[in-house]
């Protein structure tokens, strides 16, 4: 995991659950907290990911990258979890995936993911069970069980509590993890950054112009993202439908580009007017791509609103930046041609 791994205060006992039979305790129970379960260790894989999710949610909210703290995130778990920390399997609510989504590669695997209606900025300060769940995939790859952050089946059958659900975009996460785990897709983050959303609805919001417009603002942008095809651009679709799941998969794999340009999969997609969907080795790695492009989009938007011509790098300069960067990464040559243009933009 990455260096920034703050701990959730309830996993380190800096904060304690409310007293039993109190009003707040009943609220916790309705949202999925179960006192009988063993607390997660803050140093476990899940504990570290919860800490990263809390930090990311707080940062994104403070920087204005969310609309009403909207968004979701999830990570594919690799390490075993003590069963005492999970809802017993026979008491775990079981649900079906859409008929179009089958994830047999994930059979028996678990995914830590935000629940529907959770606030990303609250993950850092609330008990993890209130905003997060652990989804376990059945052997048929068509059903899943909630093993955390939910009341048990015996309580739900009484009909007095509305069962919490994972985010409605769970299907996107499962399909991507199922197909692309071996390509570094361990975590996914969906944010709704306002400046990227604004630009996606502007005259620059088309697949042929969107990335080209943004990459001219920072020389690092083409250096970091050119190999992976920049940003995948998803035309508007209803957020929680299987068609969007498969469109995400297609664009992460760069199937919209010629086969000779698919040597590295994309890091980030932009859903027109709806936000970003980015991937990484963990939550912070996935988050940094959305953060990077939102910062560039804010600079671009504000410059254009003030009629400042801030498009510093045209195609010729970008090509020169990339050429010089590649030469810098190569072993030094004893002799250079006089015509070489090292370290001098056109």
């Amino acid at each position: 995991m990455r260096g920034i791994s703050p701990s959730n205060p309830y996993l380190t006992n800096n904060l304690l659950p409310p007293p039993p039979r109190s009003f707040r305790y009943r609220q916790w129970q309705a949202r999925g907290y179960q006192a009988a379960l063993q607390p997660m260790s803050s140093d476990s894989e899940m504990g570290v990911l919860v800490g990263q999710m809390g930090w990311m949610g707080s940062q994104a909210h403070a920087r204005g990258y969310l609309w009403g703290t909207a968004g979701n995130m999830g990570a594919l778990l690799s390490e075993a979890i003590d069963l005492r920390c999970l809802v017993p399997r026979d008491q775990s609510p079981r649900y079906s995936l859409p008929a179009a989504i089958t994830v047999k590669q994930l059979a028996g695997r678990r995914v830590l993911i935000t629940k529907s209606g959770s606030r990303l900025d609250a993950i850092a300060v609330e008990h993890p069970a209130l905003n997060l769940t652990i989804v376990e995939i059945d052997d048929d790859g068509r059903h899943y069980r909630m093993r955390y952050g939910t009341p048990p089946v015996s309580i739900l059958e009484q009909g007095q509590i509305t069962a919490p659900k994972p985010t409605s975009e769970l299907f996107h996460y499962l399909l991507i993890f199922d197909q692309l785990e071996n390509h570094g897709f361990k975590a996914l983050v969906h944010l709704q950054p306002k400046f990227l959303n604004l630009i996606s609805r502007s005259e620059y919001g088309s697949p042929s112009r969107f990335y080209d417009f943004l990459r001219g603002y920072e020389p690092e942008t083409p250096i970091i993202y050119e190999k992976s095809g920049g940003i995948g651009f998803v035309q508007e679709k209803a957020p929680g439908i299987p068609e969007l799941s498969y469109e995400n998969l297609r664009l992460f794999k760069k199937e919209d580009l010629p086969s000779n340009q698919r040597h590295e999969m994309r890091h980030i997609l932009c859903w027109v007017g709806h936000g970003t969907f980015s991937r990484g080795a963990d939550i912070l790695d996935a988050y940094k791509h959305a953060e990077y492009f939102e910062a560039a989009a804010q600079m671009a938007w504000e410059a254009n609103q003030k009629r400042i011509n801030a498009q510093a790098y045209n195609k010729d300069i970008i090509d020169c930046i990339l050429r010089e960067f590649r030469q810098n990464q190569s072993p030094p040559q004893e002799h250079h041609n006089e015509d070489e243009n090292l370290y001098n933009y056109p």
Side-chain angles (χ1 to χ4, degrees):
M1 295 296 171
R2 301 176 65 82
I4 299 177
S5 297
S7 297
N8 182 280
Y10 287 99
L11 298 185
T12 56
N13 292 322
N14 290 338
L15 291 176
L16 298 176
R21 294 183 293 278
S22 66
F23 174 76
R24 185 160 160 256
Y25 185 81
R26 294 195 301 272
Q27 285 188 315
W28 276 37
Q29 285 182 310
R31 292 176 64 188
Y33 172 74
Q34 292 191 50
L37 297 184
Q38 177 107 350
M40 298 281 182
S41 167
S42 61
D43 295 321
S44 65
E45 179 187 31
M46 177 179 165
V48 171
L49 285 167
V50 169
Q52 291 185 344
M53 287 178 167
W55 182 89
M56 191 222 81
S58 300
Q59 287 290 308
H61 178 64
R63 294 171 182 264
Y65 295 164
L66 308 176
W67 293 352
T69 71
N72 45 68
M73 52 185 151
L76 183 59
L77 299 173
S78 300
E79 296 186 1
I81 299 176
D82 189 333
L83 293 180
R84 295 174 298 176
C85 300
L86 302 176
V87 178
R89 184 176 174 81
D90 61 354
Q91 285 292 304
S92 300
R94 184 173 186 257
Y95 303 101
S96 299
L97 294 172
I101 304 290
T102 301
V103 290
K104 289 188 176 180
Q105 300 295 325
L106 296 183
R109 302 289 299 277
R110 294 169 181 150
V111 172
L112 174 67
I113 198 163
T114 47
K115 290 193 286 190
S116 178
S118 66
R119 293 177 60 104
L120 298 193
D121 62 343
I123 294 174
V125 296
E126 290 191 325
H127 192 282
L130 305 183
N131 293 291
L132 304 171
T133 184
I134 293 178
V135 165
E136 182 176 288
I137 311 303
D138 277 4
D139 290 341
D140 62 2
R142 301 290 299 274
H143 297 84
Y144 65 91
R145 299 171 187 268
M146 288 180 67
R147 300 293 307 273
Y148 185 79
T150 179
V153 171
S154 57
I155 297 297
L156 294 176
E157 287 178 342
Q158 298 176 13
Q160 298 178 356
I161 295 176
T162 301
K165 297 285 185 66
T167 172
S168 62
E169 292 165 341
L170 168 69
F171 319 130
H172 310 334
Y173 288 81
L174 295 185
L175 182 67
I176 299 301
F177 290 148
D178 179 76
Q179 298 291 315
L180 302 179
E181 176 189 3
N182 293 333
H183 297 276
F185 288 71
K186 301 285 189 179
L188 293 163
V189 165
H190 165 46
L191 295 181
Q192 296 187 7
K194 59 186 177 183
F195 290 101
L196 280 170
N197 284 343
L198 283 168
I199 289 175
S200 75
R201 291 191 181 279
S202 75
E203 61 184 299
Y204 300 102
S206 67
S208 61
R209 300 190 69 188
F210 189 71
Y211 175 64
D212 286 342
F213 176 70
L214 292 177
R215 73 175 183 167
Y217 284 87
E218 285 290 338
E220 288 84 359
T221 306
I223 289 173
I224 296 172
Y225 293 100
E226 210 79 350
K227 284 185 179 180
S228 62
I231 301 179
F233 201 76
V234 182
Q235 299 294 346
E236 288 185 272
K237 297 180 183 291
I241 61 174
E243 288 80 0
L244 181 54
S245 300
Y246 281 100
E247 182 69 357
N248 291 330
L249 179 63
R250 186 180 77 88
L251 291 175
F252 270 131
K253 294 166 68 175
K254 300 202 300 188
E255 291 179 357
D256 58 317
L257 298 179
S259 57
N260 62 351
Q261 298 180 28
R262 300 180 191 172
H263 51 282
E264 182 179 328
M265 294 189 183
R266 285 194 176 100
H267 297 283
I268 182 171
L269 309 180
C270 177
W271 300 344
V272 175
H274 183 67
T276 56
F277 197 42
S278 53
R279 58 98 169 184
D282 61 17
I283 293 296
L284 297 185
D285 191 32
Y287 168 70
K288 75 177 183 182
H289 301 295
E291 182 182 41
Y292 184 96
F293 276 107
E294 174 65 358
Q298 181 174 357
M299 180 169 62
W301 182 265
E302 291 180 348
N304 278 268
Q305 291 299 300
K306 296 176 182 178
R307 302 186 184 279
I308 298 172
N309 183 11
Q311 192 72 24
Y313 303 118
N314 58 29
K315 184 179 184 303
D316 290 339
I317 293 177
I318 290 171
D319 289 343
C320 181
I321 290 171
L322 291 172
R323 185 171 63 252
E324 294 185 357
F325 177 76
R326 285 192 292 267
Q327 289 176 317
N328 246 352
Q329 303 304 301
S330 304
Q333 303 293 323
E334 292 185 5
H335 301 286
H336 295 283
N337 296 326
E338 291 183 1
D339 294 336
E340 287 188 57
N341 182 27
L342 295 178
Y343 318 113
N344 291 288
Y345 300 151

